[in-house]
């Protein structure tokens, strides 16, 4: 688990810069001024097929998505989006 830098209110903040596995694409992910990814209505970042959920999406979707309360909506949106793009043969 990576500890996130915090701002003056003492809360920990998510930042894509703290995720080593994203190092190769970090410059392609559009972020806000504190490093949170900007995601669309389907929770997809500016890197195609790279989705974020939880605290990482609070900037784009609102503070509810930082907590358990946002999990149901996030999962519904992600599942429906992914299902709509899967080609069944």
């Amino acid at each position: 688990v990576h500890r996130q830098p915090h701002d003056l209110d003492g809360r920990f903040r998510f930042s894509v810069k703290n995720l080593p596995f994203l190092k190769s694409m970090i410059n392609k992910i559009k972020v806000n001024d504190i490093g949170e990814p900007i995601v669309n209505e389907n929770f997809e970042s500016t890197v195609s097929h790279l989705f974020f959920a939880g605290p990482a999406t609070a900037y784009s979707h609102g503070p509810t998505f930082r907590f358990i309360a946002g999990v149901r909506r996030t999962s519904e949106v992600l599942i429906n989006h992914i299902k709509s793009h899967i080609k069944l043969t």
Side-chain angles (χ1 to χ4, degrees), residues 17-76:
K17 293 176 183 175
N18 292 333
L19 300 174
F21 60 90
L22 294 178
K23 187 177 180 182
S24 66
M25 62 183 79
I26 198 78
N27 293 327
K28 297 176 185 175
I29 303 169
K30 187 174 180 180
V31 297
N32 65 11
D33 58 341
I34 60 171
E36 296 171 328
I38 302 202
V39 297
N40 65 19
E41 65 277 0
N42 297 310
F43 298 90
E44 187 172 18
S45 73
T46 50
V47 174
S48 185
H49 307 296
L50 177 61
F51 298 87
F52 288 92
T57 64
Y59 177 79
S60 297
H61 288 274
T64 302
F65 290 88
R66 287 190 186 278
F67 307 102
I68 293 294
V71 170
R72 183 181 193 111
R73 178 69 183 141
T74 302
S75 60
E76 289 170 351

